[in-house]
Amino acid sequence: QVQLVESGGGLVQPGGSLRLSCAASGSAFSINGMGWYRQAPGKEREFVATITTGGSALYADSVKGRFTISRDNAKSTVYLQMNSLKPEDTAVYYCHADCITRARTAESVWGQGTQVTVSS
């Protein structure tokens, strides 16, 4: 079973930057797409960005040009570089991975979340 652990959240002023990391551990046949979602207070969880094992990335319109997703397949780690942060980026950020278990079944795995607060 795969576990995801996020780190790098915190408090930052508007216009600032943060880098989130998400490391996968445990046993799986493969870890395929990895990505980030976020949930602001009183709102539903929303897609932020995703990246394939080959490095193809997709972004939500709200973060295009400001956020960059990357991954290190050797370390089973995905990153989210967040620049030009805005107060509306404040949310709990969740890491997600699509995995294939050793039993060759599909498994959707979520991290526990890390808080990002953008405020002066």
Side-chain angles (χ1 to χ4, degrees):
Q1 191 172 4
V2 172
Q3 295 83 40
L4 301 175
V5 178
E6 301 105 332
S7 61
L11 173 64
V12 64
Q13 292 187 341
S17 299
L18 280 175
R19 188 191 193 210
L20 304 183
S21 300
C22 171
S25 63
S27 177
F29 177 73
S30 66
I31 299 174
N32 299 326
M34 298 184 77
W36 293 92
Y37 291 73
R38 66 187 182 186
Q39 187 167 18
K43 295 187 177 181
E44 295 187 351
R45 190 173 299 187
E46 65 176 6
F47 167 76
V48 175
T50 188
I51 187 168
T52 68
T53 53
S56 296
L58 288 173
Y59 297 92
D61 287 343
S62 59
V63 307
K64 278 182 182 176
R66 300 188 298 121
F67 291 9
T68 302
I69 189 171
S70 61
R71 67 188 285 172
D72 184 332
N73 291 327
K75 295 181 179 180
S76 298
T77 299
V78 64
Y79 306 95
L80 186 68
Q81 177 66 44
M82 305 184 294
N83 298 328
S84 302
L85 282 162
K86 305 174 181 179
E88 51 264 43
D89 293 317
T90 296
V92 177
Y93 283 70
Y94 295 92
C95 179
H96 175 264
D98 289 316
C99 304
I100 302 297
T101 70
R102 292 193 177 277
R104 303 302 191 269
T105 59
E107 183 179 33
S108 179
V109 183
W110 292 92
Q112 82 286 355
T114 185
Q115 177 70 46
V116 172
T117 302
V118 185
S119 175
S120 55

